[in-house]
Amino acid sequence: MECIIDTHHHIFDTDQFPYSPDRHLTPPNASIDKYKAWKSHNGVTKSVLVHGLSYGHDNSSLEAFVQQLDPGVTRGIAVIGRNTADDELKRLHSCGIRGVRLDLYSEHAMRDLDKQLEMLQYYAKRVAPFNWSMGFLQLEPGNWAHLAKFIPSLPVDVVVDHQALLKSSSMLPADVTVAQQPGMEAILRLLASGNFWIKISAPYRNSESEPHYDDLREVIRLLVHANPHRVVYGSDWPHTPRMKIRSKEEALIETPFLKFDDSIWLQKLRDWLSAEEWNLLMVENPTVLYRF
């Protein structure tokens, strides 16, 4: 069986670890055993567990889940705050953590460019000594023009999830093409810069054409063509809903996962990519980025 590395999934298990009272989303449980079964079914051999923001900045669950998944084939992405001590970062590194995910929700920075620039600079300095990557996903397409000038100066790799939320034709106005949409040109330049990576993941965040998401092909081809060495695959299992800013009351109500057929999506990617591009996406690139 060929190797597939899944660089973006979550585990939610409130039987082991309760959610943060300040969470932005309340997902159902999605256990270690269920993910292992999903891995086996889809030919995934290694994975990167991304700390769910529902657990806040307490990475205890992440550390435990990485061990339960097998640190020999699992890496972790933590969520840290301003008060996270260097000793904790050292401990997390020893547990197989190889990156952080910026929590723009808690700092009200989902659309605020100035806050985003400050966070990128601050956290890059914190994690650079560990040679970690830094996950970053924001909601304002117009911010990418300025971010494209700033991110190449950072001393770490910056990784953006879900096609950077670029839209397929089914989510764009009729008079806007995929290539001309806000943010696309800047993101393609960033991919060519060297320290910017994009996860090909969660097509339901970029397209309305379920279940096959055929109109996302143009977005994927543009990203891969810009730099086939800076794209990685992520499942986004167990498929949490689209990003939005929820009220405190909304955040505490359990929200079901999306229904999604991963096998169909994997076949679409295989159809759209050459054999070399597929191997880079699924094996070679994630091995470099997450140091498997």
Side-chain angles (χ1 to χ4, degrees):
M1 180 180 292
E2 68 179 336
C3 173
I4 292 178
I5 299 176
D6 174 11
T7 69
H8 192 104
H9 74 93
H10 308 290
I11 299 293
F12 300 110
D13 190 341
T14 54
D15 294 332
Q16 294 192 62
F17 297 94
Y19 293 145
S20 165
D22 299 320
R23 61 190 176 274
H24 77 293
L25 176 71
T26 301
N29 275 1
S31 68
I32 295 283
D33 287 344
K34 287 181 179 178
Y35 181 69
K36 285 183 175 179
W38 179 91
K39 280 179 67 178
S40 178
H41 178 74
N42 288 284
V44 172
T45 52
K46 300 177 182 179
S47 72
V48 180
L49 174 60
V50 179
H51 184 63
L53 294 178
S54 298
Y55 284 113
H57 294 179
D58 181 354
N59 291 286
S60 301
S61 63
L62 177 68
E63 294 179 59
F65 294 154
V66 167
Q67 296 304 306
Q68 293 170 34
L69 284 164
D70 182 358
V73 295
T74 310
R75 299 289 183 265
I77 303 297
V79 177
I80 63 174
R82 307 275 177 167
N83 296 325
T84 303
D86 287 341
D87 285 346
E88 180 176 352
L89 298 183
K90 292 177 183 177
R91 189 187 75 251
L92 289 170
H93 189 81
S94 70
C95 294
I97 309 309
R98 293 297 180 266
V100 294
R101 176 189 193 186
L102 298 194
D103 182 5
L104 274 67
Y105 281 103
S106 68
E107 300 208 24
H108 309 287
M110 294 301 294
R111 296 185 183 275
D112 189 314
L113 176 62
D114 290 337
K115 288 182 179 180
Q116 291 171 11
L117 295 173
E118 189 277 330
M119 289 181 70
L120 285 165
Q121 187 169 49
Y122 173 80
Y123 286 104
K125 290 180 180 178
R126 293 295 312 276
V127 305
F130 301 93
N131 203 22
W132 286 2
S133 64
M134 189 164 61
F136 173 75
L137 186 64
Q138 59 96 27
L139 295 179
E140 184 54 59
N143 287 358
W144 284 112
H146 197 104
L147 290 165
K149 300 175 184 176
F150 180 76
I151 287 175
S153 70
L154 295 172
V156 298
D157 286 317
V158 174
V159 185
V160 177
D161 308 333
H162 317 323
Q163 296 79 236
L165 301 180
L166 291 164
K167 295 178 173 63
S168 65
S169 58
S170 60
M171 294 183 71
L172 288 170
D175 60 343
V176 178
T177 69
V178 167
Q180 293 172 336
Q181 67 180 291
M184 176 64 83
E185 189 272 336
I187 286 168
L188 296 181
R189 280 192 287 113
L190 268 172
L191 276 170
S193 70
N195 74 326
F196 184 81
W197 301 67
I198 281 189
K199 290 182 181 178
I200 304 301
S201 57
Y204 38 80
R205 303 185 190 278
N206 314 78
S207 171
E208 300 286 5
S209 62
E210 59 182 336
H212 298 129
Y213 303 100
D214 288 316
D215 67 336
L216 200 53
R217 181 185 186 280
E218 185 175 358
V219 173
I220 302 300
R221 288 303 320 162
L222 285 167
L223 297 176
V224 173
H225 179 73
N227 192 343
H229 297 275
R230 288 296 179 268
V231 290
V232 293
Y233 161 75
S235 69
D236 197 39
W237 189 92
H239 311 301
T240 54
R242 286 177 176 173
M243 296 177 66
K244 72 172 189 175
I245 299 173
R246 298 174 176 83
S247 69
K248 176 75 172 178
E249 293 72 26
E250 287 179 307
L252 297 177
I253 299 171
E254 184 172 286
T255 303
F257 301 125
L258 301 176
K259 293 181 179 180
F260 180 70
D261 191 328
D262 293 273
S263 60
I264 291 177
W265 176 237
L266 285 167
Q267 185 58 53
K268 283 294 175 183
L269 290 176
R270 189 183 289 277
D271 292 343
W272 297 343
L273 302 175
S274 69
E276 180 182 2
E277 290 168 341
W278 171 271
N279 188 59
L280 286 168
L281 179 75
M282 296 294 183
V283 184
E284 293 189 26
N285 295 347
T287 297
V288 170
L289 179 60
Y290 295 110
R291 296 167 183 84
F292 278 103

